[in-house]
Amino acid sequence: MPNERLITLTPLPQHVEQRPGELILRSPVGVAADSGAAKAADLLRVELGRATGLRFESADEAAAQLILRTEAGDGEHYRLEIEAQRAVISAPQAGLIHGVCTLRQLLPAANWRSAPLPGMTWSAPACVIEDRPRFGWRGCMLDVTRHFAAKQTILRFIDLLAMHHMNRLHLHLSDDQGWRVEIKAYPRLTEIASHRPHTGLGFATSPNDPNDGTPHGGYYTQDDLREIVAYAAARGIMVIPEIDLPGHSRALTAAYPEFGCFPDKTIEVGTYFGISSDLVNPLPHTIAALETILEELLAIFPAPWIHLGGDEAPLDPWRNSPAIRAHMASLGVENAEAMRTWFTAHFAEFLAAHGRRLIGWDEIIHYGGLAPDSAIMSWRGEKGGMKAAAAGHDVVMAPVFPTYFDYAQSDSADEPLAIGQSITLEDVYAYEPSARWNDKSTFDKVLGVQCQLWREVILDDAHLEYMAFPRLCALAEVAWSEQRSDFDAFRARLAHHLERLDHYGVNYRPLEGPHPWQKGGTGRKAYQMRFNIKEALAWLDNWAESGEPPAEHRSE
Ligand code: ACM
């Protein structure tokens, strides 16, 4: 009989061989780790110590039950060998954490609790596992602007990403509806731009739509973000910050109207959604301010990647502002499109001078101005990604279908509020990033894949977990595993894997459909269908040929 825990590993490992017998951890558990493995060993001691109540002590290899050995080189691959007497994880430094993750999946799922259950035996089946990721970028984007996520929510989310061998957390920190990062040089960003008086109900696109009448907001101090970065790094996860420019800047320009296109215009932090015309201007005083903001951001986030957004920016405000027109003339820049090229080029150079790389949504490939090492996140389907790859840029695949997890998980009206109908677990699992890639010779520019949790209509933490899980388990397997199974086999494995989420207390959507308390009902979370995914794909595909959003999809 194959051991259940071995055959329910999620995402599926490259190679698994079951051996006879099992390892039973007994207090005190000796842990041997070389200096390169010290951090992974610390994490194992802290997390397993809390969940199991076992005592973990340093030991030499001869006496140890758990051995972590650092191999030379890079990469996230690992080898885990479990025998009756001991478990050995051998990996380059970045791979050790994945060996620890798999070891945890082989122990009783209760090791994802925060305190020990009585009467547990902490056993793991004897085996040899050789494993490596398919893609180096296995990401998740959290929109913390439209609805704020408390710091603890992000830390918890990091635990769940780590459970699935995910390694990138992209934080969408600024948008029309809120600015979420403390910037010491610009205090009004937190005083004014970090909150709004109310939020339009559903996917409201006008100030005249009904709203909830409740203030909403929040921000992270720089120390909060440093804590998040360090917590994620300890779990093998890089945090990539996004400041969305030049569009989606209503909150920024509400706080500092002089950075907007019409300084006399009264701008308020967004209370409804859609594509706004509140862009930052590209004038020298604004460019200098954005550099100051980015310098503070770079001091918080050590990631080589800085995401500068670039999506959904109608350029009419740049065309219509006399000051911007005069500035373009003084630079010899012909039109607003060329000014966008200048804008991207400027910040690509700025980031390069600080040793970082620019990444942005796929509109930016349309305008150009990228540095050779800039990268594209392809969201309007594959076209932007293919164009960028052909031009030699790295690409992260984040297409609306099937990586936008703000779409409902089924067509049933029982689903809670979602942006549209629907992206199922099966859709996510079936996603093959290369399938629609025309020139396969450029597919090696694809760094990986990422799911998106846009939060216009994801209202609270429970709702967030419901939309994320279990689709994130499927995305993780797409991103990690070269050994993907068919959907039915995945679904059967997932039924067991979900026990791990149960112990952690995740509000996932059961495979059979929502629990009664997860349904949308008729209140604030009542299901509404704003977008049908198939219709959305048709207009996104059209739009992907150009930069500016179609007029009918702008909110004001
Ligand atoms: C996006 O969905 N506007 C990147």
Side-chain angles (χ1 to χ4, degrees), residues 248 311-312 361 363 379 400 404 454:
H248 285 286
D311 58 321
E312 299 185 326
W361 300 111
E363 280 94 326
W379 74 278
V400 171
Y404 272 35
W454 294 109

Coordinates of all heavy atoms in Angstrom, one line a residue, residues 248 311-312 361 363 379 400 404 454, ligand 1:
H248 N -3.6 54.6 -12.0 CA -4.0 54.1 -10.7 C -3.4 55.0 -9.6 O -2.9 54.4 -8.6 CB -3.6 52.6 -10.6 CG -4.5 51.7 -11.4 ND1 -5.8 51.4 -11.0 CD2 -4.3 51.1 -12.5 CE1 -6.4 50.7 -11.9 NE2 -5.5 50.4 -12.9
D311 N -0.1 49.7 -15.8 CA -1.3 49.2 -16.4 C -2.4 50.3 -16.5 O -2.3 51.3 -15.7 CB -1.9 48.0 -15.7 CG -2.2 48.4 -14.2 OD1 -1.4 49.1 -13.6 OD2 -3.2 47.9 -13.7
E312 N -3.3 50.2 -17.4 CA -4.6 50.9 -17.4 C -4.4 52.4 -17.2 O -5.0 53.0 -16.3 CB -5.5 50.3 -16.3 CG -5.8 48.9 -16.5 CD -6.8 48.3 -15.5 OE1 -6.8 48.7 -14.4 OE2 -7.6 47.4 -16.0
W361 N 3.4 45.7 -15.7 CA 2.3 45.1 -16.4 C 2.6 45.3 -17.9 O 3.3 46.2 -18.3 CB 1.0 45.7 -16.0 CG 0.7 45.4 -14.5 CD1 0.7 46.4 -13.6 CD2 0.5 44.2 -13.9 NE1 0.4 45.9 -12.3 CE2 0.3 44.5 -12.5 CE3 0.4 42.9 -14.3 CZ2 0.0 43.5 -11.5 CZ3 0.1 41.9 -13.3 CH2 -0.1 42.2 -12.0
E363 N 1.3 46.5 -20.6 CA 1.2 47.7 -21.3 C 2.6 48.3 -21.6 O 2.8 49.0 -22.7 CB 0.4 48.7 -20.6 CG -1.1 48.5 -20.7 CD -1.7 47.7 -19.5 OE1 -1.0 46.8 -19.0 OE2 -2.8 48.0 -19.1
W379 N -0.5 40.1 -18.4 CA -1.8 39.9 -17.8 C -2.9 39.9 -18.8 O -3.9 39.2 -18.6 CB -2.1 41.0 -16.7 CG -2.4 42.4 -17.2 CD1 -1.5 43.3 -17.5 CD2 -3.7 43.0 -17.3 NE1 -2.1 44.5 -17.9 CE2 -3.5 44.3 -17.7 CE3 -5.0 42.5 -17.0 CZ2 -4.5 45.2 -17.9 CZ3 -6.0 43.4 -17.2 CH2 -5.8 44.7 -17.7
V400 N -5.2 37.0 -17.1 CA -6.5 37.0 -16.4 C -7.0 35.6 -16.3 O -7.4 35.2 -15.2 CB -7.4 38.0 -17.1 CG1 -8.8 37.9 -16.5 CG2 -6.9 39.4 -17.1
Y404 N -6.5 35.1 -12.4 CA -7.1 36.2 -11.6 C -8.1 35.5 -10.7 O -9.3 35.2 -11.1 CB -7.8 37.2 -12.6 CG -6.8 38.3 -13.0 CD1 -5.5 38.1 -13.2 CD2 -7.3 39.6 -13.2 CE1 -4.6 39.1 -13.6 CE2 -6.4 40.6 -13.6 CZ -5.1 40.4 -13.8 OH -4.3 41.4 -14.2
W454 N -6.7 40.3 -6.8 CA -7.2 41.7 -6.8 C -8.4 41.8 -5.8 O -9.2 40.9 -5.7 CB -7.7 42.1 -8.2 CG -6.6 42.1 -9.2 CD1 -6.4 41.3 -10.2 CD2 -5.5 43.1 -9.3 NE1 -5.3 41.6 -10.9 CE2 -4.7 42.7 -10.4 CE3 -5.2 44.2 -8.5 CZ2 -3.6 43.5 -10.7 CZ3 -4.1 45.0 -8.9 CH2 -3.3 44.6 -10.0
Ligands
ACM1 C1 -4.4 44.7 -14.1 O1 -5.2 43.8 -13.9 N1 -4.8 45.9 -14.3 C2 -3.0 44.5 -14.2

